[in-house]
Amino acid sequence: MKTSLNILSKRLFNRALYLVLVFEMASGSIDHKVPDETISPLIEATSIRGPYFDKTASKNITALVGHTAYLNCRVRNLGNRTVSWVRHRGIHLLTVGRYTYTSDQRFQAIHSPQTEDWTLQIRYPQIRDSGYYECQVGTTPPIGHAMVLTVVEPITTIIGGPDMFINKGSTMNLTCIIKHSPEPPPLIYWTHDSKEINYDSVRGGVSVITEKGEVTTSYLLVQRATNTDSGKYTCHPSNANPHTVVVHVLNGEHPAAMQKGSKLSLKSSLSLLSVCLVLFIST
Ligand SMILES: *[C@@H]1O[C@H](CO)[C@@H](O)[C@H](O)[C@H]1NC(C)=O
Ligand SMILES: *[C@@H]1O[C@H](CO)[C@@H](O)[C@H](O)[C@H]1NC(C)=O
Ligand SMILES: *[C@@H]1O[C@H](CO)[C@@H](O)[C@H](O)[C@H]1NC(C)=O
């Protein structure tokens, strides 16, 4: 029994190798003379009869370091064939069916019987896990679909943290910057003391401006800050780690008073000037 399993896995492994070779030929890393026109009718003919990949549901993935990644493979007309996952680097057979073949237990194949999805789950992905992964079906000859996993580590920061002090009545301007993001975050939301900020609240004067690009910046503006605006503010990009700052609204001088104060000091320097002038004239 054990030997037959061994033979089976060896056979699967050989198939995996074969597929990698086929893939390399197709991607052009190995010279081959077969023009594409002769290959495609062949592929089409097999896909009508047997299993084929739903490529729109089996795409390249960008994952965050440490956040479980899922590479999906949707196989139609699978029948009783086995789906395996192979990593191109080092040509590693990772999973066979739902069985994890590699000793690296971070890899696991997930399949629900009602679905056509065979998902490779990678727990605690690291940057070195980036590369080509291939979903293979044990037909004769075997077929495979390769996908790229890119593991990245974006950095989120809020300028001026971890503690920020602003005067009551002034405008709070929090600037959140997201760097090394594989693509601009599709969504950035802000929370105040763990509650999502509502830009249409009765409080008013709260707005957000987001500039997406290689570096994405989100400005949270809160006008006429009051004591209730104090607390923890967190910027949550949908594809990067959140970042938190603590804002302290100070009961210091009211800006109106400060304005009055500056007018006063202007007045007093004017009077000082006139005193000087008077002194100058009188001497
Ligand atoms: C996946 O990534 C590879 C390498 O970057 C690229 O050649 C291929 O076109 C990508 N596939 C899709 C469906 O975007
Ligand atoms: C799959 O099923 C067919 C019949 O539908 C059978 O002939 C074949 O041996 C089966 N293959 C495996 C690997 O079980
Ligand atoms: C908010 O602060 C940033 C710098 O951190 C500045 O570039 C931006 O213009 C400010 N926005 C407003 C409305 O004051």
mmCIF file of all heavy atoms in Angstrom, residues 51-54 58 73-79 83 115-118 135-137 143:
data_model
loop_
_atom_site.group_PDB
_atom_site.id
_atom_site.type_symbol
_atom_site.label_atom_id
_atom_site.label_comp_id
_atom_site.label_asym_id
_atom_site.label_seq_id
_atom_site.Cartn_x
_atom_site.Cartn_y
_atom_site.Cartn_z
ATOM 1 N N PRO A 51 -11.139 18.340 -18.455
ATOM 2 C CA PRO A 51 -11.058 19.487 -17.551
ATOM 3 C C PRO A 51 -10.391 20.692 -18.217
ATOM 4 O O PRO A 51 -9.548 20.522 -19.091
ATOM 5 C CB PRO A 51 -10.173 18.976 -16.412
ATOM 6 C CG PRO A 51 -10.087 17.519 -16.565
ATOM 7 C CD PRO A 51 -10.285 17.225 -18.009
ATOM 8 N N TYR A 52 -10.783 21.869 -17.785
ATOM 9 C CA TYR A 52 -10.104 23.083 -18.232
ATOM 10 C C TYR A 52 -10.172 24.125 -17.119
ATOM 11 O O TYR A 52 -11.002 24.023 -16.214
ATOM 12 C CB TYR A 52 -10.696 23.619 -19.538
ATOM 13 C CG TYR A 52 -12.127 24.066 -19.461
ATOM 14 C CD1 TYR A 52 -12.451 25.408 -19.308
ATOM 15 C CD2 TYR A 52 -13.172 23.142 -19.550
ATOM 16 C CE1 TYR A 52 -13.760 25.806 -19.234
ATOM 17 C CE2 TYR A 52 -14.485 23.533 -19.479
ATOM 18 C CZ TYR A 52 -14.781 24.866 -19.316
ATOM 19 O OH TYR A 52 -16.079 25.275 -19.223
ATOM 20 N N PHE A 53 -9.273 25.127 -17.201
ATOM 21 C CA PHE A 53 -9.166 26.133 -16.137
ATOM 22 C C PHE A 53 -10.038 27.334 -16.458
ATOM 23 O O PHE A 53 -10.084 27.777 -17.602
ATOM 24 C CB PHE A 53 -7.710 26.600 -15.997
ATOM 25 C CG PHE A 53 -6.781 25.484 -15.617
ATOM 26 C CD1 PHE A 53 -5.962 24.886 -16.574
ATOM 27 C CD2 PHE A 53 -6.741 25.014 -14.314
ATOM 28 C CE1 PHE A 53 -5.113 23.852 -16.232
ATOM 29 C CE2 PHE A 53 -5.899 23.976 -13.960
ATOM 30 C CZ PHE A 53 -5.080 23.381 -14.920
ATOM 31 N N ASP A 54 -10.707 27.817 -15.440
ATOM 32 C CA ASP A 54 -11.418 29.082 -15.564
ATOM 33 C C ASP A 54 -10.414 30.159 -15.175
ATOM 34 O O ASP A 54 -10.196 30.426 -13.993
ATOM 35 C CB ASP A 54 -12.633 29.094 -14.632
ATOM 36 C CG ASP A 54 -13.433 30.387 -14.756
ATOM 37 O OD1 ASP A 54 -12.889 31.376 -15.299
ATOM 38 O OD2 ASP A 54 -14.591 30.403 -14.311
ATOM 39 N N SER A 58 -8.810 32.409 -11.673
ATOM 40 C CA SER A 58 -7.531 31.835 -11.239
ATOM 41 C C SER A 58 -6.427 32.811 -11.629
ATOM 42 O O SER A 58 -5.752 32.637 -12.633
ATOM 43 C CB SER A 58 -7.297 30.482 -11.916
ATOM 44 O OG SER A 58 -8.488 29.731 -11.970
ATOM 45 N N CYS A 73 -7.706 28.285 -7.898
ATOM 46 C CA CYS A 73 -7.675 27.562 -9.167
ATOM 47 C C CYS A 73 -9.065 26.983 -9.375
ATOM 48 O O CYS A 73 -9.532 26.181 -8.567
ATOM 49 C CB CYS A 73 -6.636 26.443 -9.089
ATOM 50 S SG CYS A 73 -6.503 25.509 -10.615
ATOM 51 N N ARG A 74 -9.726 27.436 -10.435
ATOM 52 C CA ARG A 74 -11.061 26.902 -10.723
ATOM 53 C C ARG A 74 -10.969 25.974 -11.928
ATOM 54 O O ARG A 74 -10.572 26.395 -13.007
ATOM 55 C CB ARG A 74 -12.047 28.045 -10.979
ATOM 56 C CG ARG A 74 -13.480 27.553 -11.170
ATOM 57 C CD ARG A 74 -14.466 28.688 -11.142
ATOM 58 N NE ARG A 74 -14.500 29.307 -9.815
ATOM 59 C CZ ARG A 74 -15.154 30.449 -9.553
ATOM 60 N NH1 ARG A 74 -15.800 31.074 -10.511
ATOM 61 N NH2 ARG A 74 -15.152 30.942 -8.334
ATOM 62 N N VAL A 75 -11.312 24.731 -11.690
ATOM 63 C CA VAL A 75 -11.231 23.728 -12.753
ATOM 64 C C VAL A 75 -12.639 23.260 -13.094
ATOM 65 O O VAL A 75 -13.362 22.766 -12.225
ATOM 66 C CB VAL A 75 -10.375 22.508 -12.317
ATOM 67 C CG1 VAL A 75 -10.092 21.615 -13.515
ATOM 68 C CG2 VAL A 75 -9.079 22.948 -11.671
ATOM 69 N N ARG A 76 -12.990 23.408 -14.349
ATOM 70 C CA ARG A 76 -14.303 22.937 -14.800
ATOM 71 C C ARG A 76 -14.142 21.536 -15.402
ATOM 72 O O ARG A 76 -13.067 21.180 -15.876
ATOM 73 C CB ARG A 76 -14.883 23.913 -15.829
ATOM 74 C CG ARG A 76 -14.997 25.331 -15.287
ATOM 75 C CD ARG A 76 -16.232 26.019 -15.839
ATOM 76 N NE ARG A 76 -16.285 27.422 -15.393
ATOM 77 C CZ ARG A 76 -16.934 27.816 -14.298
ATOM 78 N NH1 ARG A 76 -17.583 26.940 -13.537
ATOM 79 N NH2 ARG A 76 -16.945 29.092 -13.967
ATOM 80 N N ASN A 77 -15.206 20.762 -15.336
ATOM 81 C CA ASN A 77 -15.208 19.379 -15.854
ATOM 82 C C ASN A 77 -14.093 18.534 -15.244
ATOM 83 O O ASN A 77 -13.468 17.760 -15.951
ATOM 84 C CB ASN A 77 -15.009 19.345 -17.380
ATOM 85 C CG ASN A 77 -16.174 19.969 -18.118
ATOM 86 O OD1 ASN A 77 -17.227 20.238 -17.532
ATOM 87 N ND2 ASN A 77 -15.985 20.199 -19.400
ATOM 88 N N LEU A 78 -13.861 18.685 -13.972
ATOM 89 C CA LEU A 78 -12.740 17.974 -13.362
ATOM 90 C C LEU A 78 -12.961 16.467 -13.344
ATOM 91 O O LEU A 78 -12.017 15.697 -13.544
ATOM 92 C CB LEU A 78 -12.490 18.496 -11.934
ATOM 93 C CG LEU A 78 -11.313 17.864 -11.212
ATOM 94 C CD1 LEU A 78 -10.002 18.188 -11.925
ATOM 95 C CD2 LEU A 78 -11.243 18.345 -9.759
ATOM 96 N N GLY A 79 -14.197 16.065 -13.142
ATOM 97 C CA GLY A 79 -14.461 14.628 -13.057
ATOM 98 C C GLY A 79 -13.782 14.048 -11.842
ATOM 99 O O GLY A 79 -13.755 14.685 -10.786
ATOM 100 N N VAL A 83 -6.319 17.446 -8.414
ATOM 101 C CA VAL A 83 -5.701 18.764 -8.613
ATOM 102 C C VAL A 83 -4.501 18.871 -7.670
ATOM 103 O O VAL A 83 -4.619 18.592 -6.476
ATOM 104 C CB VAL A 83 -6.703 19.908 -8.331
ATOM 105 C CG1 VAL A 83 -6.028 21.269 -8.442
ATOM 106 C CG2 VAL A 83 -7.884 19.821 -9.291
ATOM 107 N N THR A 115 -18.022 23.120 -4.891
ATOM 108 C CA THR A 115 -17.401 24.119 -5.766
ATOM 109 C C THR A 115 -16.405 23.476 -6.737
ATOM 110 O O THR A 115 -16.073 22.297 -6.618
ATOM 111 C CB THR A 115 -16.634 25.171 -4.939
ATOM 112 O OG1 THR A 115 -15.512 24.520 -4.344
ATOM 113 C CG2 THR A 115 -17.511 25.777 -3.869
ATOM 114 N N GLU A 116 -15.919 24.310 -7.664
ATOM 115 C CA GLU A 116 -14.896 23.855 -8.615
ATOM 116 C C GLU A 116 -13.560 24.495 -8.279
ATOM 117 O O GLU A 116 -12.649 24.516 -9.084
ATOM 118 C CB GLU A 116 -15.329 24.254 -10.039
ATOM 119 C CG GLU A 116 -16.595 23.552 -10.474
ATOM 120 C CD GLU A 116 -17.128 24.079 -11.794
ATOM 121 O OE1 GLU A 116 -17.332 25.301 -11.917
ATOM 122 O OE2 GLU A 116 -17.340 23.268 -12.701
ATOM 123 N N ASP A 117 -13.487 25.061 -7.081
ATOM 124 C CA ASP A 117 -12.282 25.777 -6.665
ATOM 125 C C ASP A 117 -11.365 24.912 -5.819
ATOM 126 O O ASP A 117 -11.804 24.269 -4.866
ATOM 127 C CB ASP A 117 -12.668 27.027 -5.859
ATOM 128 C CG ASP A 117 -13.366 28.071 -6.712
ATOM 129 O OD1 ASP A 117 -13.203 28.006 -7.952
ATOM 130 O OD2 ASP A 117 -14.072 28.921 -6.159
ATOM 131 N N TRP A 118 -10.109 24.941 -6.198
ATOM 132 C CA TRP A 118 -9.048 24.287 -5.429
ATOM 133 C C TRP A 118 -8.084 25.394 -5.065
ATOM 134 O O TRP A 118 -7.318 25.856 -5.910
ATOM 135 C CB TRP A 118 -8.374 23.190 -6.255
ATOM 136 C CG TRP A 118 -9.313 22.056 -6.503
ATOM 137 C CD1 TRP A 118 -10.287 21.978 -7.450
ATOM 138 C CD2 TRP A 118 -9.400 20.845 -5.744
ATOM 139 N NE1 TRP A 118 -10.978 20.803 -7.334
ATOM 140 C CE2 TRP A 118 -10.444 20.080 -6.290
ATOM 141 C CE3 TRP A 118 -8.690 20.329 -4.634
ATOM 142 C CZ2 TRP A 118 -10.805 18.831 -5.778
ATOM 143 C CZ3 TRP A 118 -9.038 19.088 -4.145
ATOM 144 C CH2 TRP A 118 -10.086 18.343 -4.706
ATOM 145 N N CYS A 135 -1.167 25.255 -10.753
ATOM 146 C CA CYS A 135 -2.266 24.352 -10.425
ATOM 147 C C CYS A 135 -2.298 23.317 -11.557
ATOM 148 O O CYS A 135 -2.304 23.689 -12.734
ATOM 149 C CB CYS A 135 -3.524 25.199 -10.405
ATOM 150 S SG CYS A 135 -5.048 24.321 -10.403
ATOM 151 N N GLN A 136 -2.264 22.050 -11.208
ATOM 152 C CA GLN A 136 -2.172 21.002 -12.230
ATOM 153 C C GLN A 136 -3.296 19.978 -12.094
ATOM 154 O O GLN A 136 -3.693 19.653 -10.987
ATOM 155 C CB GLN A 136 -0.833 20.278 -12.122
ATOM 156 C CG GLN A 136 0.349 21.215 -12.272
ATOM 157 C CD GLN A 136 1.673 20.499 -12.229
ATOM 158 O OE1 GLN A 136 1.748 19.341 -11.802
ATOM 159 N NE2 GLN A 136 2.723 21.177 -12.654
ATOM 160 N N VAL A 137 -3.719 19.509 -13.233
ATOM 161 C CA VAL A 137 -4.764 18.486 -13.236
ATOM 162 C C VAL A 137 -4.190 17.219 -13.851
ATOM 163 O O VAL A 137 -3.564 17.262 -14.921
ATOM 164 C CB VAL A 137 -6.010 18.969 -14.016
ATOM 165 C CG1 VAL A 137 -7.055 17.870 -14.098
ATOM 166 C CG2 VAL A 137 -6.592 20.200 -13.344
ATOM 167 N N ILE A 143 -2.499 18.850 -17.498
ATOM 168 C CA ILE A 143 -2.610 20.261 -17.869
ATOM 169 C C ILE A 143 -2.309 21.108 -16.637
ATOM 170 O O ILE A 143 -2.504 20.650 -15.511
ATOM 171 C CB ILE A 143 -3.989 20.619 -18.467
ATOM 172 C CG1 ILE A 143 -5.125 20.199 -17.517
ATOM 173 C CG2 ILE A 143 -4.162 20.008 -19.853
ATOM 174 C CD1 ILE A 143 -6.479 20.777 -17.888
#
